[in-house]
Amino acid sequence: MGKGAGREQMNNSVGRLITFEGGDGSGKSTQLHMTATWLQEHGHEVIVTHEPGDTSLGSEIRSILLEGKHTPVPECELLLFLADRAQHVSEVILPALDRGAWVLCDRFSDSTMAYQLAGRKLADLDGLAAMLEFAESGVTPDLTLWFDLPVSEAIHRIRSRSSMGEESTRLDEEAQSFHELVYAAFTELHQAYERIIRIDASGAIEQVQEQVQAAFNVRGMV
Ligand code: TYD
């Protein structure tokens, strides 16, 4: 039996995978933690995780990818993100789903679609869909929240975070044109997939969280 069969079993259990997506600086990580607390109050077992780097092996891949010591070519960058994903799905996500937990994941395959396929212009690579499915063991999110923030606003937030001493990553420092490609890709993904709900990330933290909770309600998930 293939690894993908695990996901079919999961669909019959109460486990859920909810992914939080968006450009850098969109505030999704803060929202993810607020959402975790809210879901726990509803009695769910909640696992909070992120990509890249939330396994011991993955944290080493994360350093290679983001610290800026290396500049991988686009193909290498894609394969490293997928290597991190394969380890993460197998070690963290599937076991949690199998025991019925709700997994809140900060970035997943839509980030790869937006950053590598669109941003790095790898969309025409042969066999790409099969590679993604292989790395993800066929796991698909039950719900994806896209935190929509215009690029100019996101860049402003990233700059003010780094002026306050927060470290930026190699990808944060990409040119505005790269972030525009990423933004356009998230917009297209949202139009193409019903599982993706758009959250207007430009408002106050509480207003954004209200939209997140409304999204779970709309999908009948609370
Ligand atoms: P991180 O510091 O975790 O920040 P945040 O998610 O809050 O922006 O940075 C992760 C970076 O990795 C981010 O710039 C997006 C990028 N990324 C990809 O390019 N492809 C991927 O598949 C994933 C998961 C992330």
Side-chain angles (χ1 to χ4, degrees):
M1 194 184 284
K3 281 203 287 176
R7 178 60 178 169
E8 272 166 46
Q9 278 169 11
M10 192 288 302
N11 274 334
N12 297 329
S13 76
V14 287
R16 292 282 181 273
L17 174 62
I18 299 116
T19 56
F20 287 59
E21 296 280 9
D24 300 276
S26 62
K28 64 186 165 41
S29 309
T30 307
Q31 293 298 328
L32 187 151
H33 285 96
M34 291 171 82
T35 309
T37 306
W38 176 65
L39 289 172
Q40 277 159 348
E41 285 164 8
H42 279 78
H44 297 292
E45 182 195 347
V46 178
I47 301 292
V48 167
T49 187
H50 68 266
E51 290 192 1
D54 213 2
T55 61
S56 156
L57 193 159
S59 76
E60 299 202 24
I61 297 176
R62 181 186 170 91
S63 318
I64 296 170
L65 275 168
L66 298 181
E67 280 179 5
K69 185 173 164 201
H70 308 284
T71 309
V73 295
E75 291 79 359
C76 176
E77 185 179 275
L78 171 68
L79 290 168
L80 286 170
F81 275 113
L82 293 184
D84 172 70
R85 177 145 323 126
Q87 192 71 22
H88 189 217
V89 166
S90 175
E91 207 178 296
V92 177
I93 296 181
L94 275 177
L97 293 175
D98 282 345
R99 60 168 198 273
W102 286 41
V103 179
L104 305 191
C105 188
D106 195 341
R107 297 196 181 281
F108 196 65
S109 60
D110 297 307
S111 281
T112 314
M113 305 287 279
Y115 283 80
Q116 280 67 53
L117 275 56
R120 301 295 191 213
K121 304 189 171 85
L122 290 178
D124 296 333
L125 214 62
D126 279 345
L128 198 61
M131 269 165 64
L132 287 173
E133 207 182 318
F134 173 69
E136 290 159 10
S137 297
V139 169
T140 313
D142 295 281
L143 171 67
T144 297
L145 303 172
W146 167 43
F147 292 83
D148 177 4
L149 190 69
V151 173
S152 54
E153 171 72 11
I155 287 177
H156 178 71
R157 286 193 193 177
I158 292 168
R159 287 196 184 134
S160 52
R161 273 192 331 210
S162 55
S163 71
M164 293 176 59
E166 207 176 299
E167 270 184 37
S168 57
T169 69
R170 187 175 60 82
L171 289 172
D172 289 334
E173 285 158 19
E174 284 289 340
Q176 176 152 351
S177 55
F178 175 81
H179 291 291
E180 298 282 3
L181 287 174
V182 170
Y183 182 84
F186 276 126
T187 308
E188 277 179 31
L189 287 164
H190 169 242
Q191 283 159 0
Y193 294 103
E194 215 222 318
R195 81 178 147 79
I196 304 181
I197 293 187
R198 176 186 170 274
I199 305 290
D200 176 355
S202 62
I205 288 179
E206 295 72 22
Q207 284 168 351
V208 178
Q209 179 61 202
E210 273 173 29
Q211 294 177 64
V212 171
Q213 295 182 9
F216 279 82
N217 277 313
V218 161
R219 291 296 157 90
M221 286 175 72
V222 280

